[in-house]
Every structure is written in structure tokens, then in C-alpha cells.
Amino acid sequence: MTFIYASYFCILFSENCTKNLCSGNRLYFRGVFFQFNTSKMRLVILEDYNEASEWAAKYIRNKIIQFKASADRYFTLGLPTGSTPFGCYKKLIEYHKSGDLSFKYVKTFNMDEYVGLPRDHPESYHSYMWNNFFKHIDIDPCNVHILDGNVTDLEAECEAFEKKIAQAGGINLFVGGIGPDGHIAFNEPGSSLVSRTRVKTLAKDTIVANARFFGNDLSKVPSMALTVGVGTVMDAREVMILITGAHKAFALYKAIEEGVNHMWTVSAFQQHPRTIFVCDEDATLELRVKTVKYFKGLMHVHNRLVDPVLSIKDE
Amino acid sequence: MPSNKSVSDAPITQFVNCRILREHKLQREDLWVREGKILDPEKLFFDEKGSADQRVDCKGHIIAPGFIDVQINGGYGIDFSQATDYVKGGVSLVAKKILEHGVTSFLPTLVTSPPDIYHKVLPKVQVQSGGMQGAGVLGFHLEGPFISLEKKGAHPEEYLRSFLSDGMSDLIETYGTLDNVAMVTLAPELPNSQTVVRELTQRGITVSLGHSVANLSQAENAVQHGASFITHLFNAMLPFHHRDPGIVGLLTSDQVPQSRTVFYGMIADGIHTNPAALRIAHRAHPKGLVLVTDAIAAMGLPPGRHTLGQQVIEIQGLHAYVAGTKTLCGSIATMDMCVRHFKQASGCTVEESLEAASLHPAQLLGISHAKGVLDYGADADLVLLDDSLSIRATYIAGQEVWRK
């Protein structure tokens, strides 16, 4: 418990301290250096899908604005697709349209894309990102990076993607989702936990889960995809996983209450220094009551990350 | 935002804050235009990494494809069939004025005339794109002279003709040339008309049935040979009869080849067709309805008396009477009035009323890949309307050509 309070204490200080007083793990305050551990695993539990989407969007908004991005210093964001982040994207678009958030100095890297699906196919991840996010905001198309599943040399494409991430200075915040089989991106059960961006053959579970986007015709669902590796996401400075709905509950249980296991690749993030799991009540249905009560008890701490919510209008 | 367009350096306009008519629905989407055509913004974003050069705020209004009028005899004092010596100027004047009604393309229509009129007039007006100077001319609509005596309407009897042994040579002899002709209205019961219908269709000219006493099977026969339009449904044809529906029966005929649609023109001014009749036609065959003005020279003139050619006309509201009588002498409703009246009388949706003036005429003329639609690659002929379907602005090839 002492560890928890110490971390809580440090959140208070770290949020109040100025840049030159706080460096990495050391805080200079009233003539004393405080060594504290900034590693966190947060489980943020909201009532329903809409509240979870809004919390996540506010968190991203605050992160981008606090970063004070500029032409020399972009904020790099890793992005997911699917039904889970849909609500979060809608909120981010709202914040942009109301003038509170700009993506002018944001670089994005998407997690994955199907192999062999035409880029303008309505179910490609390019289409998803364009229709649900990019077309509504002010991001520069040159700062958008999505793997191309239609090149002849898929491996070269994956390597180039890793290089682009490195060139951009790494990812500040990687937002992801979780599959019903506990996978992150297309890192299917059995994937290496130190994997990098590569071509993956999709698991049957994933193909079945995706069939609803292809008229429930399994033969039309792509069987391969390009995906960032578990290791690629682990390299991000911060990771936020969105998990909503009862059908994800078992995967969430495996991810945080069981051990690190490559059959449930999201469990790798137990070993990441800064991870936030944002979920709704339904997603917690397979967790122990004790776990849920514990993290719900921390909501007042978690909510300080999104309240007050910042705006570029205040600059 | 830096733009790095690889396909073209031409400026890109983005219409924002609008509802566009696409895929039969009004959707909240931006409309992108480059080099006079509608642009796919997703391709621009991912392939060219490009962005817009200018934004037009549409203030929440509707953007529909520009209207296409396939039957208009003149306006603003100009009668295309009479103004032989300055027909080019007359067509240009009307072309410019109808931009205010949202019309971006039209077929100047000539009623039954003697051969020398056709020989003089047809070569003078070419198919041409629209622009600041006016709506685009898609070609002439020649209504007559191969029509029925009994259903001549206001056409001059002395110039009516029928097909002698070789229909096509009669036709060419009468008209002089078929260049710049987009549509011909004829009566299919005239002997030797079948070969004419077939030949004209093969040449890409739309054949329309009208001013006719044809029965249903004669009409169906003509459709099978290629006819695809009915000139002002109900007017100048036999009335619907339950044992022989005549030309009107084409709306629900089962003899029309599967892949084809029979379109029909409706003058929806509330005067030339009883709203109940309009509703019957619309409900029987909604996808075939094409709004036409069939406007005469008096259209666009202020209320009161006007002398047009040999006639004195009196304009009262939307009615144009022979002066001193209650005899109608033609329509003077504008296309946007027709769209509004059609919507109100038929109870159809906004989308249907707009498509009747844009998509359907484009489909009729076989040009719906470029006109009458807001699909990527189509010509950016647009009309901006408010919710009461009043025209706020008209665009041709992405350029604003009229604003209220």
C-alpha cells in the first residue's frame, strides 16, 4: 500500500512541478530530490462505452496539448481501428471541431492493415481511418503512416515502417485495442512478445470476428495482415489499451490477472512502464471483485488526468 | 498546410458545411473539386498527400448536381423556333438566364418547322460546355415534324410530315443534318417509323414518343427498337384507357427490355398536369420521371401583356394565356419551380425531387457518368439550394456562375 501512496504523492507533485524541476524519475522539491518510480499500471473503469470513449479521448487530448508540439517536435501517436476506438475518434473530432484540439503537429502510425485488400475497399484500415478520423481533422497527410498491404515486398514495407517510427523519435502514446483472444494489433496467440512489424497469418478467431464486416462471408475476409509487433508497441513511451464490452471480459482477465503469456499477447504490457487500460463495466465482468473494487477506488486519482481538460484556446 | 500533389498542380476547392446528394441520399460530406471534376479526397490524401487550396462554406445548404432541362422552347422573349437569324444569340441569352434556375445543361427545343428553318438553325448552334457564359448545350431536341395530325397541339399543321418509303432519308432531308441533335420526338404509329427509331438510336440520338395516337403495342414496339422517352406524358397523346393504356401504359409495360428504362417528361407546373395525374405517374414508375419545363418564350418575362411573334400573351402568375382569353399557350414555370412543385404535389423526398431534374435526365441521355451525379470523376456542375429548395448558387465545372 505504501508504494501506491508514494506513487499517488508523486502524481500530485509531478503534475504541479515545472519542467526544470522534474526530470525523469527525480523530482526536486523544496531542496530535496525525490526518487520515485514513474512506472504505472492503471486500470480505469468507466460506466459504459460512451464514458470510456470520452475518458480516453480527453486523456489523449491532454497529452497532446501538454506536449506543446511544434514544427520541430511532433507528438507521435499510435492508432488502432475497429469498433472499440470508434467512440474515442468521434470525441477527438468533436474537440477539433470546437477548436480545442489541433493535429497539425501530430504524427500518426497505425497498428495494422490487411494484406491484398485494395486500399479503397470500404473495409480496409485506410478507409476506416479516412472516414472515421482523418477527413474530419487538420492532420497533414504527410504525417500519416499506415502499412501498405498491397506492395510486392511486404517485408521491406514492414522494415521501412519500423524505420519511420524510429525517425519520428519513437511513439509518445500508442493507443490500442484487444481482440477476444487477447491479441494486440494482429499479434495472434503464440506471437513472440518481442516481435517487430511483420506479416502475420490471421487466426481463425480473428477471421470469424471480422466476418461481420465482409457480409459474414468467411471467404471474403483477408487471411493475412501487416502488423506492428508486441515489441514495437512495448517501445512506446506510453500505452493505452481500450477494452469495452462483455465479449472482451475474458481477454481482459487473462491480460491483467494471469501471467505474461504469449497466448494472450496483451499480457506483455504488464511489463511496460506506463500502461493504462481504459474499460467499461462490462469488460470487467471476468475480473475478481477485489481487483475491480481496488481500481474503482483509485478513480479520483485517475480522473485528475482528464480534469481539467486542456484546450489550445487557452494558449 | 503544405501540399505536395503529384497528379496535378491545379487548385483544389473543398465545399464544406454542406449536405451532398450522392447515392440517392443527402449526406453530410464535403465535396472536393479539381479541374472542373469531382475529386476523390481519400485518393488525394493517401496517394498524393494533398489538401485543399480553398474552402467554400456552404452554410449547411444542399449541394445537388446541376439540373438538366431536356425540353425548353425559349424564354425571356426568345423563341428558338422563330429567332432564325440570331438563334445563336438567343440560345446564349437563355443559357445564361437559366443558370438562375439551377439549370447547368439543356436541350434547346425546336417545334415543328419547315425544312429551311432546320437547315438554317441546326448548323448555328453546337454542342458546347457551359461556363460563366451560360448553361451547357447538349444538343437540340427536335419535337416534330414527324408527329400525328390529331395530336399536333400548338404545332403548325402545314409543316407536319410523315415518313415516305425510306424514313431516314426523309428525316435527313427535313433536318439537313443530325449533328448537334440530341433528341427527336416522333409519333411511332407513322408507317416506316421503326427503321428511323432504330437508326437514330444507333447514332446515339434519344428517340422520344409524343404528339401521337399510338396504342400501347405500337409504343412498345418503338421502345423495343430503341425509343426511351415520352414527351410531356399525358399531353398530346391518347388518354389512359383501361383496355388500351396507349403510350401512358409504357410506365408499367412488361415489354420493355430488362436492362432498359423508359423515361417520361412531366411538366410539373401544377397547370399542365393535374397533381393527381402527376402522382399516379410518379407512383407507377418513380425512377423514370424527368422534370421538364417545356418553357415558351414568355418564361422569365414579368407579369402583364407581351407581344411574342404573332401572338399577344398575358402573364398572370404561373399562367400564360392568349391575351383576353383563358386559353393556355404554354408553360412559363422555371425548373426550380417545377422541382418545388413536384415535391409538394407528389409528397416525394427531397432526394427524389432533385434526382428528377438531374440524375434521371442524365440517365435518359446516357451521360450519367459525367452529369447529373456527384460521383468522383463526374463534371462539377452543381446547384446550391436551401431547405425550401430555392437556388442559392450555381456552379459549372466547379466555377461559381451565379449567386443569389
Side-chain angles (χ1 to χ4, degrees), chain A residues 181-194:
Chain A
D181 60 0
H183 70 228
I184 176 136
F186 277 127
N187 293 288
E188 308 287 56
S191 293
S192 156
L193 296 180
V194 292

Side-chain angles (χ1 to χ4, degrees), chain A residues 4-18:
Chain A
I4 306 298
Y5 283 123
S7 308
Y8 168 68
F9 210 60
C10 296
I11 296 163
L12 279 181
F13 280 124
S14 63
E15 274 154 21
N16 289 320
C17 77
T18 56

Side-chain angles (χ1 to χ4, degrees), chain B residues 119-143:
Chain B
H119 291 215
K120 234 174 145 174
V121 171
L122 260 46
K124 288 219 175 94
V125 180
Q126 269 80 51
V127 169
Q128 58 195 289
S129 306
M132 287 299 308
Q133 76 284 1
V137 174
L138 296 172
F140 279 100
H141 175 176
L142 302 178
E143 192 187 3

Side-chain angles (χ1 to χ4, degrees), chain B residues 40-97:
Chain B
D40 182 346
E42 188 178 344
K43 262 204 167 75
L44 176 72
F45 188 86
F46 287 125
D47 290 344
E48 299 183 52
K49 312 232 181 283
S51 46
D53 295 294
Q54 69 164 134
R55 284 189 175 81
V56 175
D57 184 350
C58 300
K59 303 187 174 33
H61 290 324
I62 295 169
I63 298 185
F67 299 150
I68 301 173
D69 194 351
V70 304
Q71 188 168 5
I72 168 171
N73 307 290
Y76 301 91
I78 309 277
D79 179 346
F80 298 142
S81 305
Q82 300 294 327
T84 355
D85 290 323
Y86 31 87
V87 65
K88 203 168 154 70
V91 169
S92 299
L93 192 151
V94 173
K96 176 92 181 159
K97 284 300 212 170

Side-chain angles (χ1 to χ4, degrees), chain A residues 112-165:
Chain A
D112 41 23
E113 174 61 284
Y114 289 114
V115 167
L117 196 62
R119 204 222 53 228
D120 57 5
H121 188 284
E123 294 303 329
S124 80
Y125 288 167
H126 280 81
S127 293
Y128 178 99
M129 291 308 298
W130 168 253
N131 286 311
N132 297 317
F133 197 43
F134 297 140
K135 82 176 175 196
H136 305 279
I137 59 173
D138 62 342
I139 193 160
D140 182 338
C142 297
N143 291 332
V144 164
H145 304 277
I146 307 181
L147 286 154
D148 184 351
N150 289 304
V151 292
T152 27
D153 190 344
L154 296 171
E155 267 144 38
E157 172 70 9
C158 294
E159 271 178 47
F161 198 73
E162 288 275 343
K163 280 204 177 71
K164 282 183 206 150
I165 294 177

